[in-house]
């Protein structure tokens, strides 16, 4: 998709059905409205690629599946990188929350357009064009209205409640999709439902907490863990150098996206991979019972034989 | 993105041409279990495709002397697959932007009127093909349900739950 130094490169993009629906309606006059921009990753603070659909007024997250030693044949051509890009709808509140928490250091109520500002990622103002956004701000802020202008202030208490709901609905999806969240399972295979019972409720909460933690800063993830009454791992272990290490993923724009979700080799064979997000790193060190969620979710069972040609 | 315009990267937008999604023709895709260090046209239809055999255990093909076993993987419901390419035009636009005068002029301009969605320095991406399935190949063994790609393909349904709006109290 964004392969550097190769303008002819093909890449694969999986687009959510919102797109297909959108396409049916797309008229010829529609010249633009779909664009990839770089915004802050609310977990790591680094840049990541997102997709805006200004017509549907929907934000999409881009995840890249990367596996070593994979290439594509695309019709009558070869593409060396066997990548698969996923564009899935994203709750913009995670991104706005990042700015609300930052602005909270000033400790006052502020209009949203003064909160969502970023010299590094100026495209963040596109978030303000999402019409639904204001409706949901109440999940994470206290509101004041003065002269029919609204002012917001981050509320940790409300945010934790909101995140708890997120965890709950994610748990439901984990169960529906029969995703094995058990602690000591070696395989990434999805188990038939009779074996599912071995998944304890707390494993689901941990797993869901891990997934949500990829969209919030580490400290909030810790608070959420307490709020959910998950047994506290001695998390401080991994803390100090995380920020610095994340900087290592300072590659061209496309590489700044957090690949670790899909790039499971990192997990199994290169646990200290610098591309892991802060939360993932911390979690990887302290607890292996289901918190690293997405990584494990995509984890390979065994190392497949590779073929170099 | 090209290296060299690293500084400007953060404000860049890459527009996806919507019409190309609508018109994208179906494509045949093979995800191979090896790295081929090339990005260029290849006679896939002459050497690879005709060698594919349907066996009881699945598909088989011999590629550069190695046995590959494969299977068809459907794109999950609710998803559509596209092959995308960055437009070459971008370079021309870059130059145009550079010749437009000093940075200050641009800043002034931005203050004076609302910024358009497409700017001269933006780049464009288009879909060249679409797909609803692809062939996944493993070295000597069928990739099977453990294949990492299969795990990845379940991500969208999980992402949907993570990003769905929460119920009100």
């Amino acid at each position: 998709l964004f392969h550097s130094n190769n303008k002819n490169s093909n890449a694969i993009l999986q687009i959510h059905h919102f797109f297909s629906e959108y396409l049916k309606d797309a008229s010829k006059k529609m010249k633009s409205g779909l664009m990839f921009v770089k915004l802050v990753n609310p977990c790591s603070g680094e840049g990541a690629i997102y997709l805006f659909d200004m017509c549907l007024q929907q934000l999409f997250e881009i995840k890249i599946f990367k596996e070593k030693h994979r290439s594509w044949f695309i019709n009558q051509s070869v593409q060396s990188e066997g990548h698969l890009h996923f564009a899935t709808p994203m709750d913009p509140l995670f991104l706005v929350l990042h700015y609300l928490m930052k602005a909270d250091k000033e400790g006052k109520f502020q209009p949203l357009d003064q909160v969502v500002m970023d010299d590094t990622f100026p495209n963040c103002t596109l978030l303000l064009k999402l019409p639904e956004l204001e409706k949901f701000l109440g999940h994470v802020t206290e509101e004041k209205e003065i002269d029919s202008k609204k002012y917001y202030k981050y509320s940790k208490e409300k945010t934790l409640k909101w995140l708890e709901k997120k965890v709950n609905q994610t748990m439901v999806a984990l169960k529906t999709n029969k995703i094995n969240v058990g602690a000591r399972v070696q395989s990434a295979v999805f188990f038939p439902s009779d074996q599912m019972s071995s998944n304890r409720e707390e494993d689901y909460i941990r797993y869901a907490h891990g997934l949500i933690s990829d969209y919030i800063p580490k400290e909030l993830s810790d608070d959420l863990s307490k709020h959910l009454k998950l047994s506290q791992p001695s998390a401080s272990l991994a803390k100090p150098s995380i920020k610095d290490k994340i900087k290592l993923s300072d590659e061209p724009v496309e590489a700044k996206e957090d690949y670790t979700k899909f790039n499971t080799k990192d997990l199994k064979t290169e646990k200290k991979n610098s591309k892991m997000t802060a939360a993932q790193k911390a979690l990887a060190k302290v607890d292996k019972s289901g918190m690293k969620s997405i990584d494990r979710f995509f984890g390979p069972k065994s190392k497949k034989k590779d073929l170099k040609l | 993105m090209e290296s060299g315009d690293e500084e400007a990267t953060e404000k860049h937008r890459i527009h996806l041409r919507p019409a190309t999604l609508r018109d994208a023709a179906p494509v045949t895709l093979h995800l191979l279990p090896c790295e081929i260090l090339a990005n260029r046209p290849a006679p896939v239809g002459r050497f690879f495709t005709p060698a594919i055999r349907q066996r009881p255990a699945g598909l088989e093909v011999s590629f550069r002397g190695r046995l590959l076993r494969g299977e068809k993987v459907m794109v999950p419901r609710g998803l559509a697959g596209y092959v995308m390419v960055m437009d070459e035009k971008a370079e021309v636009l870059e130059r145009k932007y550079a010749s437009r005068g000093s940075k200050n002029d641009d800043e002034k301009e931005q203050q004076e009127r609302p910024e358009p969605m497409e700017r001269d320095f933006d780049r464009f991406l288009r879909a060249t093909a679409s797909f609803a399935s692809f062939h996944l190949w493993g070295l000597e063994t069928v990739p099977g349900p453990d294949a990492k790609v299969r795990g990845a393909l379940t991500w969208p349904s999980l992402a949907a739950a993570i990003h769905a709006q929460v119920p009100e109290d």
Side-chain angles (χ1 to χ4, degrees):
Chain A
L1 188 48
F2 306 111
H3 300 176
S4 41
N5 311 322
N6 184 356
K7 282 197 212 79
N8 297 315
S9 74
N10 294 300
I12 311 306
L13 179 70
Q14 297 275 354
I15 292 187
H16 195 266
H17 68 101
F18 277 10
F19 258 64
S20 349
E21 279 166 25
Y22 158 78
L23 288 175
K24 281 175 210 152
D25 304 335
S27 61
K28 292 213 173 74
K29 67 180 156 67
M30 193 98 69
K31 205 173 138 249
S32 76
L34 293 166
M35 54 188 169
F36 294 89
V37 297
K38 201 166 174 191
L39 302 173
V40 71
N41 173 323
C43 175
S44 69
E46 294 289 300
I49 297 288
Y50 296 87
L51 174 64
F52 269 98
D53 184 332
M54 301 316 290
C55 302
L56 269 181
Q57 299 179 312
Q58 172 73 52
L59 173 71
F60 291 82
E61 171 185 31
I62 308 294
K63 292 277 177 219
I64 304 170
F65 172 79
K66 265 175 132 184
E67 198 176 8
K68 230 179 173 177
H69 307 303
R70 285 259 177 223
S71 295
W72 286 107
F73 278 159
I74 301 171
N75 275 350
Q76 304 305 312
S77 68
V78 59
Q79 168 66 40
S80 149
E81 286 165 316
H83 296 176
L84 208 50
H85 298 239
F86 291 80
T88 51
M90 167 149 183
D91 188 344
L93 214 45
F94 284 119
L95 286 173
V96 175
L97 183 61
H98 166 89
Y99 291 107
L100 283 162
M101 289 177 76
K102 244 168 96 178
D104 194 49
K105 309 243 150 69
E106 292 173 45
K108 56 182 185 190
F109 285 82
Q110 293 180 76
L112 198 61
D113 54 7
Q114 280 178 31
V115 172
V116 184
M117 285 191 329
D118 197 324
D119 290 339
T120 317
F121 307 106
N123 281 315
C124 73
T125 52
L126 290 169
L127 289 166
L128 302 171
K129 294 182 198 283
L130 300 171
E132 296 262 273
L133 188 64
E134 206 173 299
K135 215 160 73 187
F136 300 117
L137 279 173
H139 288 309
V140 296
T141 62
E142 301 291 346
E143 257 177 64
K144 261 186 192 172
E145 200 172 324
I146 301 163
D147 297 335
S148 73
K149 187 159 171 65
K150 287 195 171 156
Y151 297 81
Y152 302 91
K153 188 179 183 309
Y154 167 64
S155 161
K156 184 166 149 185
E157 199 189 348
K158 290 176 91 176
T159 300
L160 287 174
K161 278 185 194 160
W162 173 67
L163 290 171
E164 186 179 3
K165 288 178 184 174
K166 287 277 188 191
V167 167
N168 288 338
Q169 68 196 33
T170 304
M171 277 172 63
V172 173
L174 288 170
K175 290 176 181 175
T176 323
N177 286 290
K178 297 192 170 56
I179 289 159
N180 186 26
V181 298
R184 268 171 284 284
V185 180
Q186 296 303 305
S187 170
V189 189
F190 303 146
F191 281 58
S193 48
D194 57 318
Q195 283 177 271
M196 285 271 295
S197 50
S198 63
N199 287 324
R200 290 179 307 130
E201 197 69 4
E202 186 172 338
D203 290 335
Y204 278 109
I205 302 176
R206 274 185 193 287
Y207 204 131
H209 171 263
L211 289 174
I212 299 295
S213 293
D214 278 337
Y215 299 98
I216 53 177
K218 172 80 171 75
E219 48 177 300
L220 187 55
S221 165
D222 289 346
D223 288 338
L224 179 61
S225 173
K226 276 179 215 146
H227 180 80
L228 297 168
K229 301 191 174 58
L230 290 170
S231 48
Q232 259 314 53
S234 48
S236 50
L237 265 173
K239 263 182 184 168
S241 58
I242 284 169
K243 282 282 169 199
D244 315 38
K245 288 205 176 144
I246 281 173
K247 294 270 184 203
L248 292 177
S249 60
D250 228 13
E251 291 169 38
V253 62
E254 71 273 26
K256 284 197 182 169
E257 179 54 54
D258 175 16
Y259 295 148
T260 52
K261 304 296 182 301
F262 299 135
N263 197 358
T264 43
K265 90 178 158 57
D266 292 350
L267 184 72
K268 293 279 175 176
T269 60
E270 300 170 45
K271 284 213 167 122
K272 292 181 182 76
N273 190 298
S274 59
K275 282 180 193 164
M276 288 179 89
T277 64
Q280 286 168 332
K281 277 202 138 174
L283 295 169
K285 288 208 175 176
V286 295
D287 186 77
K288 301 216 171 6
S289 59
M291 291 180 71
K292 283 181 297 162
S293 41
I294 294 184
D295 286 331
R296 268 232 341 246
F297 172 61
F298 294 112
K301 181 172 158 191
S302 57
K303 232 175 130 55
K304 289 255 171 359
K305 276 180 275 180
D306 294 320
L307 173 59
K308 260 282 202 206
L309 292 168
Chain B
M1 291 189 185
E2 305 305 298
S3 49
D5 43 51
E6 207 71 43
E7 271 176 88
T9 300
E10 267 75 349
K11 65 175 178 176
H12 274 197
R13 295 170 181 173
I14 301 172
H15 300 271
L16 178 53
R17 299 187 190 280
T20 64
L21 291 176
R22 203 173 40 222
D23 302 334
V27 69
T28 308
L29 290 176
H30 297 277
L31 188 53
L32 303 168
C34 58
E35 197 176 3
I36 303 170
L37 296 169
N39 295 294
R40 56 162 185 250
V44 179
R46 192 138 52 97
F47 298 110
F48 187 82
T49 325
I52 298 174
R53 300 279 175 265
Q54 180 72 55
R55 306 276 185 220
L59 302 171
E60 256 183 44
V61 72
S62 173
F63 180 58
R64 297 191 180 176
R66 308 293 289 263
L67 177 70
L68 308 185
R69 287 202 164 91
E71 59 194 336
K72 191 175 180 179
V73 176
M74 300 303 295
V75 170
R77 261 178 46 194
L79 289 162
Y82 293 101
V83 179
M84 306 228 170
V85 177
M86 195 78 82
D87 270 3
E88 306 258 359
K89 233 172 153 184
E91 269 195 353
V92 183
L93 288 170
E94 292 282 355
R95 273 201 300 275
K96 194 173 154 199
Y97 175 58
S99 68
R100 253 180 55 182
S102 76
K103 214 178 170 187
N104 286 337
D105 287 347
D106 280 343
E107 270 165 23
K108 214 168 90 194
E109 227 172 82
Q110 281 178 17
Q111 280 165 10
E112 277 163 10
R113 55 187 172 131
E115 196 191 28
M117 287 294 167
E118 286 179 18
R119 294 87 46 98
D120 284 352
F121 54 87
D122 286 347
R123 302 190 61 179
F124 291 85
L125 195 69
R126 67 198 147 80
T128 54
S130 66
F131 61 95
S133 69
F134 59 90
H135 288 100
L136 177 64
W137 294 96
L139 178 59
E140 285 164 18
T141 52
V142 177
D146 272 3
K148 283 194 268 182
V149 184
R150 292 208 183 260
L153 287 171
T154 60
W155 164 245
S157 62
L158 215 50
I162 294 168
H163 296 287
Q165 284 307 324
V166 304
E168 296 295 328
D169 286 319

